[in-house]
Amino acid sequence: MSNAAEAVPTDRTRIGAQPTIGGSTYVRPRDMDWAPTQFPGISIKVLYEDKAKGEMTCLLKWAPGASLPMHKHPEIEQTYVLEGSFRDHDGICRAGEYVWRRTGSFHETRSDEGAVILAIYRKPNVFQNSTGYARSEG
């Protein structure tokens, strides 16, 4: 009886591919500084950004009582809460929970206790006077 695992070629052997050296970008958020944003009490660590496409993956740190004003999501927004909690008119998202927002939706958000969240944007949020998160000089 033969070993079936040996009989099945891997993708690499099937197409003659080799790993792409430099194809992975490792990011160490713990070695990055929190940068202030234009919103009081909210700071950011950008993990990935493609400005031309408007894509961003970031960590956002909310101080207790921090809030984001009314804004629109031009594409879906995905958020995973690492610490604390934050809320909007639809509910509250706590540590270990995930929420995503529909394309075209509007809301305000607030964190009563403070939070650290992982946020994934396909396009930047649209605020009344700005788009996305502007990193300020603090």
Side-chain angles (χ1 to χ4, degrees):
M1 186 175 258
S2 68
N3 185 341
E6 291 178 53
V8 178
T10 65
D11 285 341
R12 187 171 79 176
T13 58
R14 188 178 9 254
I15 62 174
Q18 295 295 316
T20 303
I21 304 303
S24 300
T25 301
Y26 290 87
V27 178
R28 292 178 175 80
R30 71 177 154 263
D31 296 339
M32 300 167 66
D33 292 328
W34 288 103
T37 68
Q38 74 269 40
F39 304 107
I42 300 176
S43 53
I44 190 169
K45 291 184 180 186
V46 177
L47 307 177
Y48 165 81
E49 185 172 27
D50 183 326
K51 289 183 182 188
K53 293 180 182 178
E55 296 175 343
M56 179 190 284
T57 301
C58 62
L59 293 172
L60 292 167
K61 183 168 138 179
W62 297 54
S67 64
L68 276 182
M70 185 67 72
H71 58 278
K72 178 182 180 180
H73 295 282
E75 290 285 339
I76 69 164
E77 173 195 81
Q78 300 177 73
T79 304
Y80 182 79
V81 179
L82 298 164
E83 299 173 12
S85 65
F86 78 122
R87 63 181 169 87
D88 69 5
H89 62 280
D90 281 329
I92 186 165
C93 196
R94 294 181 171 81
E97 297 178 346
Y98 168 86
V99 60
W100 64 275
R101 308 260 169 31
R102 298 181 194 289
T103 298
S105 64
F106 287 85
H107 73 140
E108 297 173 291
T109 53
R110 175 178 179 79
S111 179
D112 296 326
E113 67 177 303
V116 176
I117 65 174
L118 174 67
I120 302 167
Y121 302 97
R122 290 184 180 165
K123 296 285 183 202
N125 290 339
V126 178
F127 298 93
Q128 182 176 354
N129 297 313
S130 67
T131 301
Y133 292 94
R135 285 164 264 179
S136 61
E137 293 300 316

PDB file of all heavy atoms in Angstrom, residues 30-58:
ATOM      1  N   ARG A  30       4.372  46.179  18.735  1.00  0.00           N
ATOM      2  CA  ARG A  30       4.880  46.526  20.070  1.00  0.00           C
ATOM      3  C   ARG A  30       6.109  47.425  19.988  1.00  0.00           C
ATOM      4  O   ARG A  30       6.436  48.126  20.941  1.00  0.00           O
ATOM      5  CB  ARG A  30       5.155  45.276  20.892  1.00  0.00           C
ATOM      6  CG  ARG A  30       6.352  44.476  20.436  1.00  0.00           C
ATOM      7  CD  ARG A  30       6.626  43.282  21.349  1.00  0.00           C
ATOM      8  NE  ARG A  30       7.312  42.248  20.619  1.00  0.00           N
ATOM      9  CZ  ARG A  30       6.730  41.196  20.063  1.00  0.00           C
ATOM     10  NH1 ARG A  30       5.446  41.019  20.178  1.00  0.00           N
ATOM     11  NH2 ARG A  30       7.426  40.297  19.393  1.00  0.00           N
ATOM     12  N   ASP A  31       6.801  47.427  18.844  1.00  0.00           N
ATOM     13  CA  ASP A  31       7.975  48.283  18.661  1.00  0.00           C
ATOM     14  C   ASP A  31       7.622  49.643  18.055  1.00  0.00           C
ATOM     15  O   ASP A  31       8.504  50.476  17.851  1.00  0.00           O
ATOM     16  CB  ASP A  31       9.001  47.581  17.759  1.00  0.00           C
ATOM     17  CG  ASP A  31       9.555  46.307  18.391  1.00  0.00           C
ATOM     18  OD1 ASP A  31       9.479  46.165  19.633  1.00  0.00           O
ATOM     19  OD2 ASP A  31      10.045  45.452  17.636  1.00  0.00           O
ATOM     20  N   MET A  32       6.354  49.859  17.739  1.00  0.00           N
ATOM     21  CA  MET A  32       5.904  51.114  17.131  1.00  0.00           C
ATOM     22  C   MET A  32       5.342  52.046  18.205  1.00  0.00           C
ATOM     23  O   MET A  32       4.794  51.587  19.199  1.00  0.00           O
ATOM     24  CB  MET A  32       4.805  50.837  16.091  1.00  0.00           C
ATOM     25  CG  MET A  32       5.240  49.938  14.957  1.00  0.00           C
ATOM     26  SD  MET A  32       3.844  49.328  13.963  1.00  0.00           S
ATOM     27  CE  MET A  32       3.255  50.836  13.226  1.00  0.00           C
ATOM     28  N   ASP A  33       5.482  53.348  17.978  1.00  0.00           N
ATOM     29  CA  ASP A  33       4.886  54.333  18.869  1.00  0.00           C
ATOM     30  C   ASP A  33       3.446  54.605  18.452  1.00  0.00           C
ATOM     31  O   ASP A  33       3.117  54.564  17.259  1.00  0.00           O
ATOM     32  CB  ASP A  33       5.668  55.656  18.823  1.00  0.00           C
ATOM     33  CG  ASP A  33       7.065  55.530  19.422  1.00  0.00           C
ATOM     34  OD1 ASP A  33       7.234  54.722  20.368  1.00  0.00           O
ATOM     35  OD2 ASP A  33       7.971  56.221  18.939  1.00  0.00           O
ATOM     36  N   TRP A  34       2.607  54.903  19.424  1.00  0.00           N
ATOM     37  CA  TRP A  34       1.248  55.352  19.140  1.00  0.00           C
ATOM     38  C   TRP A  34       1.336  56.787  18.627  1.00  0.00           C
ATOM     39  O   TRP A  34       1.973  57.632  19.251  1.00  0.00           O
ATOM     40  CB  TRP A  34       0.379  55.307  20.398  1.00  0.00           C
ATOM     41  CG  TRP A  34       0.016  53.925  20.825  1.00  0.00           C
ATOM     42  CD1 TRP A  34       0.572  53.210  21.854  1.00  0.00           C
ATOM     43  CD2 TRP A  34      -0.989  53.086  20.262  1.00  0.00           C
ATOM     44  NE1 TRP A  34      -0.029  51.981  21.950  1.00  0.00           N
ATOM     45  CE2 TRP A  34      -0.995  51.877  20.989  1.00  0.00           C
ATOM     46  CE3 TRP A  34      -1.899  53.231  19.209  1.00  0.00           C
ATOM     47  CZ2 TRP A  34      -1.861  50.823  20.694  1.00  0.00           C
ATOM     48  CZ3 TRP A  34      -2.761  52.186  18.920  1.00  0.00           C
ATOM     49  CH2 TRP A  34      -2.740  51.006  19.653  1.00  0.00           C
ATOM     50  N   ALA A  35       0.700  57.062  17.498  1.00  0.00           N
ATOM     51  CA  ALA A  35       0.672  58.414  16.938  1.00  0.00           C
ATOM     52  C   ALA A  35      -0.702  59.021  17.190  1.00  0.00           C
ATOM     53  O   ALA A  35      -1.718  58.352  17.008  1.00  0.00           O
ATOM     54  CB  ALA A  35       0.954  58.369  15.436  1.00  0.00           C
ATOM     55  N   PRO A  36      -0.752  60.279  17.620  1.00  0.00           N
ATOM     56  CA  PRO A  36      -2.058  60.893  17.825  1.00  0.00           C
ATOM     57  C   PRO A  36      -2.773  61.085  16.488  1.00  0.00           C
ATOM     58  O   PRO A  36      -2.133  61.185  15.443  1.00  0.00           O
ATOM     59  CB  PRO A  36      -1.723  62.241  18.470  1.00  0.00           C
ATOM     60  CG  PRO A  36      -0.295  62.496  18.170  1.00  0.00           C
ATOM     61  CD  PRO A  36       0.357  61.160  17.923  1.00  0.00           C
ATOM     62  N   THR A  37      -4.099  61.096  16.533  1.00  0.00           N
ATOM     63  CA  THR A  37      -4.905  61.397  15.348  1.00  0.00           C
ATOM     64  C   THR A  37      -5.548  62.766  15.547  1.00  0.00           C
ATOM     65  O   THR A  37      -5.348  63.414  16.572  1.00  0.00           O
ATOM     66  CB  THR A  37      -6.010  60.338  15.130  1.00  0.00           C
ATOM     67  OG1 THR A  37      -6.976  60.459  16.186  1.00  0.00           O
ATOM     68  CG2 THR A  37      -5.435  58.925  15.079  1.00  0.00           C
ATOM     69  N   GLN A  38      -6.353  63.173  14.589  1.00  0.00           N
ATOM     70  CA  GLN A  38      -7.067  64.442  14.706  1.00  0.00           C
ATOM     71  C   GLN A  38      -8.203  64.381  15.725  1.00  0.00           C
ATOM     72  O   GLN A  38      -8.825  65.390  16.023  1.00  0.00           O
ATOM     73  CB  GLN A  38      -7.584  64.908  13.335  1.00  0.00           C
ATOM     74  CG  GLN A  38      -8.781  64.155  12.780  1.00  0.00           C
ATOM     75  CD  GLN A  38      -8.419  62.958  11.906  1.00  0.00           C
ATOM     76  OE1 GLN A  38      -7.481  62.220  12.212  1.00  0.00           O
ATOM     77  NE2 GLN A  38      -9.184  62.752  10.830  1.00  0.00           N
ATOM     78  N   PHE A  39      -8.485  63.182  16.255  1.00  0.00           N
ATOM     79  CA  PHE A  39      -9.564  62.999  17.220  1.00  0.00           C
ATOM     80  C   PHE A  39      -8.988  62.855  18.622  1.00  0.00           C
ATOM     81  O   PHE A  39      -8.220  61.928  18.880  1.00  0.00           O
ATOM     82  CB  PHE A  39     -10.407  61.775  16.843  1.00  0.00           C
ATOM     83  CG  PHE A  39     -10.943  61.858  15.449  1.00  0.00           C
ATOM     84  CD1 PHE A  39     -10.422  61.074  14.436  1.00  0.00           C
ATOM     85  CD2 PHE A  39     -11.957  62.756  15.142  1.00  0.00           C
ATOM     86  CE1 PHE A  39     -10.901  61.172  13.150  1.00  0.00           C
ATOM     87  CE2 PHE A  39     -12.446  62.868  13.850  1.00  0.00           C
ATOM     88  CZ  PHE A  39     -11.914  62.072  12.847  1.00  0.00           C
ATOM     89  N   PRO A  40      -9.353  63.758  19.540  1.00  0.00           N
ATOM     90  CA  PRO A  40      -8.809  63.697  20.908  1.00  0.00           C
ATOM     91  C   PRO A  40      -9.051  62.332  21.553  1.00  0.00           C
ATOM     92  O   PRO A  40     -10.141  61.776  21.474  1.00  0.00           O
ATOM     93  CB  PRO A  40      -9.594  64.792  21.647  1.00  0.00           C
ATOM     94  CG  PRO A  40     -10.043  65.737  20.574  1.00  0.00           C
ATOM     95  CD  PRO A  40     -10.292  64.868  19.363  1.00  0.00           C
ATOM     96  N   GLY A  41      -7.983  61.801  22.162  1.00  0.00           N
ATOM     97  CA  GLY A  41      -8.088  60.535  22.884  1.00  0.00           C
ATOM     98  C   GLY A  41      -7.987  59.297  22.018  1.00  0.00           C
ATOM     99  O   GLY A  41      -8.120  58.183  22.516  1.00  0.00           O
ATOM    100  N   ILE A  42      -7.746  59.454  20.713  1.00  0.00           N
ATOM    101  CA  ILE A  42      -7.616  58.295  19.815  1.00  0.00           C
ATOM    102  C   ILE A  42      -6.255  58.361  19.137  1.00  0.00           C
ATOM    103  O   ILE A  42      -5.912  59.349  18.485  1.00  0.00           O
ATOM    104  CB  ILE A  42      -8.743  58.241  18.768  1.00  0.00           C
ATOM    105  CG1 ILE A  42     -10.095  58.134  19.480  1.00  0.00           C
ATOM    106  CG2 ILE A  42      -8.527  57.067  17.811  1.00  0.00           C
ATOM    107  CD1 ILE A  42     -11.297  58.157  18.560  1.00  0.00           C
ATOM    108  N   SER A  43      -5.458  57.307  19.321  1.00  0.00           N
ATOM    109  CA  SER A  43      -4.145  57.224  18.685  1.00  0.00           C
ATOM    110  C   SER A  43      -4.083  55.987  17.808  1.00  0.00           C
ATOM    111  O   SER A  43      -4.929  55.095  17.894  1.00  0.00           O
ATOM    112  CB  SER A  43      -3.035  57.243  19.732  1.00  0.00           C
ATOM    113  OG  SER A  43      -3.247  56.260  20.712  1.00  0.00           O
ATOM    114  N   ILE A  44      -3.065  55.938  16.938  1.00  0.00           N
ATOM    115  CA  ILE A  44      -3.033  54.943  15.868  1.00  0.00           C
ATOM    116  C   ILE A  44      -1.636  54.360  15.682  1.00  0.00           C
ATOM    117  O   ILE A  44      -0.632  55.034  15.914  1.00  0.00           O
ATOM    118  CB  ILE A  44      -3.518  55.609  14.548  1.00  0.00           C
ATOM    119  CG1 ILE A  44      -3.755  54.584  13.444  1.00  0.00           C
ATOM    120  CG2 ILE A  44      -2.560  56.708  14.094  1.00  0.00           C
ATOM    121  CD1 ILE A  44      -4.492  55.159  12.223  1.00  0.00           C
ATOM    122  N   LYS A  45      -1.620  53.099  15.276  1.00  0.00           N
ATOM    123  CA  LYS A  45      -0.431  52.427  14.758  1.00  0.00           C
ATOM    124  C   LYS A  45      -0.852  51.843  13.414  1.00  0.00           C
ATOM    125  O   LYS A  45      -1.710  50.952  13.363  1.00  0.00           O
ATOM    126  CB  LYS A  45       0.041  51.295  15.683  1.00  0.00           C
ATOM    127  CG  LYS A  45       0.616  51.762  17.002  1.00  0.00           C
ATOM    128  CD  LYS A  45       1.148  50.589  17.808  1.00  0.00           C
ATOM    129  CE  LYS A  45       1.716  51.042  19.134  1.00  0.00           C
ATOM    130  NZ  LYS A  45       2.364  49.932  19.862  1.00  0.00           N
ATOM    131  N   VAL A  46      -0.283  52.322  12.336  1.00  0.00           N
ATOM    132  CA  VAL A  46      -0.634  51.836  11.004  1.00  0.00           C
ATOM    133  C   VAL A  46       0.187  50.591  10.706  1.00  0.00           C
ATOM    134  O   VAL A  46       1.416  50.630  10.690  1.00  0.00           O
ATOM    135  CB  VAL A  46      -0.398  52.919   9.929  1.00  0.00           C
ATOM    136  CG1 VAL A  46      -0.694  52.369   8.545  1.00  0.00           C
ATOM    137  CG2 VAL A  46      -1.269  54.145  10.213  1.00  0.00           C
ATOM    138  N   LEU A  47      -0.502  49.476  10.477  1.00  0.00           N
ATOM    139  CA  LEU A  47       0.156  48.200  10.199  1.00  0.00           C
ATOM    140  C   LEU A  47       0.349  47.981   8.705  1.00  0.00           C
ATOM    141  O   LEU A  47       1.318  47.366   8.281  1.00  0.00           O
ATOM    142  CB  LEU A  47      -0.677  47.060  10.792  1.00  0.00           C
ATOM    143  CG  LEU A  47      -1.025  47.199  12.280  1.00  0.00           C
ATOM    144  CD1 LEU A  47      -1.906  46.036  12.715  1.00  0.00           C
ATOM    145  CD2 LEU A  47       0.228  47.298  13.123  1.00  0.00           C
ATOM    146  N   TYR A  48      -0.610  48.455   7.927  1.00  0.00           N
ATOM    147  CA  TYR A  48      -0.571  48.335   6.461  1.00  0.00           C
ATOM    148  C   TYR A  48      -1.339  49.507   5.884  1.00  0.00           C
ATOM    149  O   TYR A  48      -2.393  49.886   6.411  1.00  0.00           O
ATOM    150  CB  TYR A  48      -1.218  47.023   6.007  1.00  0.00           C
ATOM    151  CG  TYR A  48      -1.543  47.001   4.530  1.00  0.00           C
ATOM    152  CD1 TYR A  48      -0.558  46.716   3.588  1.00  0.00           C
ATOM    153  CD2 TYR A  48      -2.819  47.298   4.075  1.00  0.00           C
ATOM    154  CE1 TYR A  48      -0.857  46.728   2.233  1.00  0.00           C
ATOM    155  CE2 TYR A  48      -3.117  47.305   2.719  1.00  0.00           C
ATOM    156  CZ  TYR A  48      -2.129  47.025   1.808  1.00  0.00           C
ATOM    157  OH  TYR A  48      -2.408  47.043   0.464  1.00  0.00           O
ATOM    158  N   GLU A  49      -0.822  50.074   4.795  1.00  0.00           N
ATOM    159  CA  GLU A  49      -1.549  51.143   4.124  1.00  0.00           C
ATOM    160  C   GLU A  49      -1.189  51.172   2.650  1.00  0.00           C
ATOM    161  O   GLU A  49      -0.020  51.087   2.286  1.00  0.00           O
ATOM    162  CB  GLU A  49      -1.219  52.496   4.770  1.00  0.00           C
ATOM    163  CG  GLU A  49      -2.017  53.643   4.206  1.00  0.00           C
ATOM    164  CD  GLU A  49      -1.816  54.931   4.992  1.00  0.00           C
ATOM    165  OE1 GLU A  49      -0.742  55.107   5.606  1.00  0.00           O
ATOM    166  OE2 GLU A  49      -2.736  55.760   4.986  1.00  0.00           O
ATOM    167  N   ASP A  50      -2.211  51.271   1.823  1.00  0.00           N
ATOM    168  CA  ASP A  50      -2.045  51.514   0.390  1.00  0.00           C
ATOM    169  C   ASP A  50      -2.872  52.767   0.098  1.00  0.00           C
ATOM    170  O   ASP A  50      -4.088  52.701  -0.082  1.00  0.00           O
ATOM    171  CB  ASP A  50      -2.546  50.331  -0.429  1.00  0.00           C
ATOM    172  CG  ASP A  50      -2.315  50.505  -1.924  1.00  0.00           C
ATOM    173  OD1 ASP A  50      -2.380  51.652  -2.424  1.00  0.00           O
ATOM    174  OD2 ASP A  50      -2.083  49.485  -2.610  1.00  0.00           O
ATOM    175  N   LYS A  51      -2.214  53.923   0.131  1.00  0.00           N
ATOM    176  CA  LYS A  51      -2.922  55.189  -0.015  1.00  0.00           C
ATOM    177  C   LYS A  51      -3.634  55.300  -1.355  1.00  0.00           C
ATOM    178  O   LYS A  51      -4.724  55.864  -1.429  1.00  0.00           O
ATOM    179  CB  LYS A  51      -1.963  56.357   0.175  1.00  0.00           C
ATOM    180  CG  LYS A  51      -1.520  56.508   1.612  1.00  0.00           C
ATOM    181  CD  LYS A  51      -0.637  57.716   1.811  1.00  0.00           C
ATOM    182  CE  LYS A  51      -0.193  57.773   3.263  1.00  0.00           C
ATOM    183  NZ  LYS A  51       0.502  58.980   3.586  1.00  0.00           N
ATOM    184  N   ALA A  52      -3.053  54.760  -2.413  1.00  0.00           N
ATOM    185  CA  ALA A  52      -3.675  54.848  -3.734  1.00  0.00           C
ATOM    186  C   ALA A  52      -5.031  54.136  -3.764  1.00  0.00           C
ATOM    187  O   ALA A  52      -5.983  54.615  -4.376  1.00  0.00           O
ATOM    188  CB  ALA A  52      -2.749  54.262  -4.799  1.00  0.00           C
ATOM    189  N   LYS A  53      -5.131  53.004  -3.080  1.00  0.00           N
ATOM    190  CA  LYS A  53      -6.391  52.257  -3.020  1.00  0.00           C
ATOM    191  C   LYS A  53      -7.280  52.701  -1.871  1.00  0.00           C
ATOM    192  O   LYS A  53      -8.467  52.401  -1.849  1.00  0.00           O
ATOM    193  CB  LYS A  53      -6.113  50.758  -2.868  1.00  0.00           C
ATOM    194  CG  LYS A  53      -5.465  50.120  -4.063  1.00  0.00           C
ATOM    195  CD  LYS A  53      -5.236  48.644  -3.787  1.00  0.00           C
ATOM    196  CE  LYS A  53      -4.551  47.958  -4.936  1.00  0.00           C
ATOM    197  NZ  LYS A  53      -4.289  46.542  -4.624  1.00  0.00           N
ATOM    198  N   GLY A  54      -6.698  53.370  -0.886  1.00  0.00           N
ATOM    199  CA  GLY A  54      -7.441  53.775   0.301  1.00  0.00           C
ATOM    200  C   GLY A  54      -7.509  52.701   1.369  1.00  0.00           C
ATOM    201  O   GLY A  54      -8.233  52.835   2.341  1.00  0.00           O
ATOM    202  N   GLU A  55      -6.739  51.635   1.210  1.00  0.00           N
ATOM    203  CA  GLU A  55      -6.765  50.529   2.172  1.00  0.00           C
ATOM    204  C   GLU A  55      -5.883  50.839   3.382  1.00  0.00           C
ATOM    205  O   GLU A  55      -4.820  51.445   3.244  1.00  0.00           O
ATOM    206  CB  GLU A  55      -6.242  49.249   1.520  1.00  0.00           C
ATOM    207  CG  GLU A  55      -7.091  48.757   0.388  1.00  0.00           C
ATOM    208  CD  GLU A  55      -6.484  47.552  -0.318  1.00  0.00           C
ATOM    209  OE1 GLU A  55      -5.270  47.273  -0.155  1.00  0.00           O
ATOM    210  OE2 GLU A  55      -7.235  46.884  -1.021  1.00  0.00           O
ATOM    211  N   MET A  56      -6.358  50.407   4.540  1.00  0.00           N
ATOM    212  CA  MET A  56      -5.560  50.551   5.756  1.00  0.00           C
ATOM    213  C   MET A  56      -5.959  49.485   6.763  1.00  0.00           C
ATOM    214  O   MET A  56      -7.139  49.189   6.930  1.00  0.00           O
ATOM    215  CB  MET A  56      -5.751  51.913   6.407  1.00  0.00           C
ATOM    216  CG  MET A  56      -4.947  52.067   7.701  1.00  0.00           C
ATOM    217  SD  MET A  56      -5.361  53.540   8.664  1.00  0.00           S
ATOM    218  CE  MET A  56      -4.549  54.794   7.711  1.00  0.00           C
ATOM    219  N   THR A  57      -4.951  48.916   7.403  1.00  0.00           N
ATOM    220  CA  THR A  57      -5.147  48.074   8.579  1.00  0.00           C
ATOM    221  C   THR A  57      -4.371  48.754   9.695  1.00  0.00           C
ATOM    222  O   THR A  57      -3.201  49.113   9.513  1.00  0.00           O
ATOM    223  CB  THR A  57      -4.615  46.651   8.333  1.00  0.00           C
ATOM    224  OG1 THR A  57      -5.296  46.087   7.211  1.00  0.00           O
ATOM    225  CG2 THR A  57      -4.817  45.770   9.558  1.00  0.00           C
ATOM    226  N   CYS A  58      -5.033  48.968  10.831  1.00  0.00           N
ATOM    227  CA  CYS A  58      -4.382  49.706  11.899  1.00  0.00           C
ATOM    228  C   CYS A  58      -4.871  49.252  13.266  1.00  0.00           C
ATOM    229  O   CYS A  58      -5.911  48.582  13.380  1.00  0.00           O
ATOM    230  CB  CYS A  58      -4.635  51.200  11.743  1.00  0.00           C
ATOM    231  SG  CYS A  58      -6.370  51.677  11.832  1.00  0.00           S
TER     232      CYS A  58
END
